[in-house]
Amino acid sequence: MKKIPLLILLVSGSVLWAQNKKPYTTSGKKVTVYTTAEKTTQRITPAGTTLSFSELKQPLETQISVFVNPNKTFQTVMGIGGAITDASAETFAKIPKDKQQEILDAYFDVNKGIGYTLARTTIHSSDFSSGSYTYIKEGDKELKSFSVDHDKKYRIPFIKKAIAAAGGKLTMYASPWSPPAFMKDNNNMLKGGKLKPDYFQAWANYYTKFIKAYEKEGIPIWGISIQNEPMATQKWESCIFTGEEERDFLKNFLGPTMHKEGFKDKKIIAWDHNRDMLYQRASTMLDDPEAAKYVWGIGYHWYENWSGGEQMFDNLKLVHEAYPETNLIFTEGCKEKFDINRIGDWKLGELYGTNMINDFNNGIVAWTDWNILLDETGGPNHVFNLCFAPIHANTKTGEIMYTNEYYYIGHFSKFVRPGAKRIACSPSRSAISATAFINTDGKVAVIVMNKGDEKLNYNLWIEGQAVEVESQPHSMQTLVF
């Protein structure tokens, strides 16, 4: 019997698998359209009837279309969620029990709410805390006094309730805003400054102490980021790392320490700042093999328009193209300068829709909003850096206020579940923007946003089959089938 070379067997097996893989078909599929629209009561509201596909071989140029191909898949989605900060937890604790349950259902129950599966929290204080604090006594380089007792009042109980509401599993990662004051060259947790070389190891140990302490409290920690916003000198907790300093701290201290302490499986996120410098910081980290081996992904924020410009999605695209094996994760975004009179401003949600559609289309695997809950002032915040959240609670009256941010995020998080893959999606007009995913159960979710002032109709088109959908002005839709 003639032996077939192993290489040919592998190739033949690959060809056989490709031949047996069934192409996606719309046969028998019914489309449910969920809509959120300005000047209506629709809030992720399903249409009363489903839509059926019919033949449309070649759409005309005059027909607006969203072309979708579920056979062309891209990155796998890990999760979508928000940050459970001290401010969120303190606000949560101040509202009545029935309102607390409403918040938990709204965020973490996929049927009653929008089904968050991902959460970020802080390693000790951030600006969204009622005051600055650390987990150790000042000057304790050996970390003998390390304790997360501070967090047991508000934050840890809230996180535990969130995990339960999410069905017992919530992917949680944590970020530090600043080392303790004595570890920094400005002797201050606020206003930037740098980590002193004598404290590199102590600070690396601090992350592992945090993970152990939270996991002892029953809160699994999936990963950490190295430093929140390492290029920003803020009036709140902040610490500066150049790209080379962050790289060297990771490869010489934090990475080895995580491995030594038994946390090799924990994910480490680098950068954790804006898209403006994303490529330079990613390349500095990932072009060094000794640093890159510790990096799960590159995190980023959306505040690059602080200088008066626009969001820089092309920088995200470039990093994804240059380092396709490295995960990209959106770690923070919110609308700043809270004004309760703007609680119903439709532009809030459209900011989220624009960013989420572009971010996923440029290759990210996870998306994390900033505070999931704030009070009637846009805080609490110990330096009065007050911001919008998807949900605000009036701690004086108990009233729960939903901005349309909540619904725009929900058009993703409710229907794009962990394990979903992004699929090819291409609108034929700039009047609408879109992205699409196929979930592990085979359900497709196509998300379409209309930021314009005009109602328009478009065809959802898949391989010569289409359904016609009406898009209202200033609306977000998720088409599920």
Side-chain angles (χ1 to χ4, degrees):
M1 179 178 175
K2 185 179 179 181
K3 292 184 178 180
I4 301 173
L6 179 61
L7 178 61
I8 295 177
L9 283 171
L10 288 172
V11 171
S12 298
S14 176
V15 171
L16 183 64
W17 175 85
Q19 289 174 340
N20 289 339
K21 187 182 178 183
K22 294 180 179 178
Y24 186 87
T25 176
T26 57
S27 178
K29 301 283 197 309
K30 299 285 187 180
V31 180
T32 301
V33 181
Y34 296 82
T35 301
T36 296
E38 187 181 24
K39 299 178 181 178
T40 74
T41 59
Q42 293 177 296
R43 299 293 183 267
I44 318 183
T45 303
T49 58
T50 57
L51 304 174
S52 299
F53 284 94
S54 59
E55 187 175 83
L56 179 62
K57 287 297 186 182
Q58 173 60 65
L60 302 174
E61 284 187 312
T62 53
Q63 293 175 295
I64 303 174
S65 299
V66 176
F67 303 112
V68 174
N69 186 350
N71 297 309
K72 298 296 183 183
T73 61
F74 304 99
Q75 78 271 21
T76 300
V77 176
M78 188 193 85
I80 297 169
I84 299 178
T85 58
D86 288 325
S88 296
E90 188 175 329
T91 301
F92 181 83
K94 291 178 179 178
I95 59 178
K97 296 294 183 184
D98 62 326
K99 298 299 184 181
Q100 291 182 351
Q101 190 59 50
E102 179 182 336
I103 296 295
L104 293 169
D105 289 344
Y107 273 121
F108 300 104
D109 189 302
V110 72
N111 296 311
K112 298 177 183 177
I114 60 175
Y116 273 8
T117 56
L118 179 67
R120 184 189 190 209
T121 196
T122 67
I123 297 177
H124 59 231
S125 65
S126 71
D127 48 329
F128 279 93
S129 302
S130 289
S132 293
Y133 67 92
T134 71
Y135 298 132
I136 59 174
K137 294 179 180 177
E138 186 70 8
D140 179 14
K141 183 177 181 179
E142 303 302 319
L143 313 184
K144 293 178 179 178
S145 59
F146 193 98
S147 170
V148 294
D149 283 352
H150 172 280
D151 297 358
K152 293 179 182 179
K153 185 175 182 181
Y154 296 126
R155 193 175 359 148
I156 287 174
F158 187 18
I159 292 173
K160 287 183 176 180
K161 289 178 180 178
I163 293 171
K169 182 182 179 183
L170 187 63
T171 301
M172 173 76 63
Y173 67 102
S175 305
W177 264 240
S178 172
F182 73 89
M183 294 187 183
K184 296 171 66 183
D185 62 7
N186 66 343
N187 295 305
N188 192 342
M189 289 182 70
L190 317 183
K191 301 177 182 178
K194 289 193 174 188
L195 180 64
K196 296 176 184 177
D198 289 350
Y199 293 100
F200 285 174
Q201 188 58 57
W203 185 228
N205 295 341
Y206 202 100
Y207 298 74
T208 64
K209 289 274 192 181
F210 171 84
I211 295 170
K212 290 175 184 176
Y214 260 58
E215 295 199 335
K216 187 177 180 181
E217 293 298 318
I219 300 173
I221 300 297
W222 168 84
I224 57 171
S225 71
I226 302 169
Q227 169 63 46
N228 179 72
E229 299 186 348
M231 285 302 291
T233 298
Q234 307 283 25
K235 60 182 179 180
W236 53 86
E237 288 85 339
S238 44
C239 184
I240 302 300
F241 286 84
T242 66
E244 291 78 9
E245 289 165 345
E246 184 183 20
R247 177 198 65 198
D248 293 348
F249 174 66
L250 173 63
K251 74 176 181 180
N252 296 325
F253 295 93
L254 182 57
T257 300
M258 291 283 284
H259 281 224
K260 180 182 176 183
E261 294 296 320
F263 295 138
K264 186 177 181 179
D265 62 324
K266 305 299 183 187
K267 312 306 181 187
I268 299 178
I269 299 165
W271 184 221
D272 203 0
H273 205 164
N274 297 327
R275 299 185 193 94
D276 49 6
M277 302 178 72
L278 188 65
Y279 181 80
Q280 183 263 335
R281 296 295 292 231
S283 62
T284 300
M285 188 70 73
L286 298 174
D287 287 347
D288 185 320
E290 289 304 305
K293 68 183 182 182
Y294 296 114
V295 177
W296 172 84
I298 304 296
Y300 66 95
H301 301 179
W302 74 19
Y303 309 113
E304 64 267 17
N305 58 356
W306 64 268
S307 61
E310 301 292 330
Q311 259 90 31
M312 303 180 74
F313 300 112
D314 283 348
N315 286 352
L316 183 63
K317 178 183 179 183
L318 178 61
V319 172
H320 180 57
E321 290 174 340
Y323 303 97
E325 302 305 315
T326 300
N327 297 292
L328 289 168
I329 175 172
F330 180 79
T331 49
E332 184 187 318
C334 73
K335 181 61 178 173
E336 299 164 295
K337 298 180 181 178
F338 178 76
D339 177 355
I340 198 165
N341 296 313
R342 291 186 59 207
I343 205 86
D345 187 345
W346 209 255
K347 291 180 181 178
L348 296 173
E350 291 182 340
L351 171 66
Y352 277 75
T354 299
N355 277 268
M356 294 184 79
I357 288 171
N358 279 282
D359 285 351
F360 278 109
N361 283 344
N362 282 309
I364 72 164
V365 302
W367 203 94
T368 330
D369 185 33
W370 188 208
N371 303 278
I372 68 169
L373 178 67
L374 292 173
D375 67 16
E376 68 278 6
T377 72
N381 184 296
H382 69 89
V383 292
F384 303 103
N385 177 37
L386 304 170
C387 297
F388 285 91
I391 301 178
H392 287 264
N394 188 318
T395 56
K396 296 180 176 64
T397 66
E399 179 190 5
I400 305 299
M401 298 170 281
Y402 293 79
T403 73
N404 67 320
E405 295 174 2
Y406 169 81
Y407 301 104
Y408 272 59
I409 298 169
H411 275 276
F412 286 83
S413 60
K414 187 176 180 70
F415 304 106
V416 181
R417 308 302 295 164
K421 287 186 178 294
R422 184 172 67 87
I423 59 178
C425 179
S426 174
S428 70
R429 288 284 195 288
S430 59
I432 54 176
S433 54
T435 188
F437 305 83
I438 186 165
N439 287 285
T440 56
D441 63 0
K443 283 189 177 179
V444 172
V446 181
I447 299 154
V448 180
M449 184 172 67
N450 176 359
K451 289 170 62 176
D453 297 329
E454 302 296 327
K455 180 174 70 174
L456 54 85
N457 286 8
Y458 63 90
N459 292 305
L460 169 66
W461 188 95
I462 300 176
E463 295 292 328
Q465 298 288 313
V467 296
E468 187 175 4
V469 184
E470 181 182 275
S471 173
Q472 298 180 58
H474 297 285
S475 68
M476 187 76 144
Q477 294 177 311
T478 303
L479 285 56
V480 180
F481 52 94

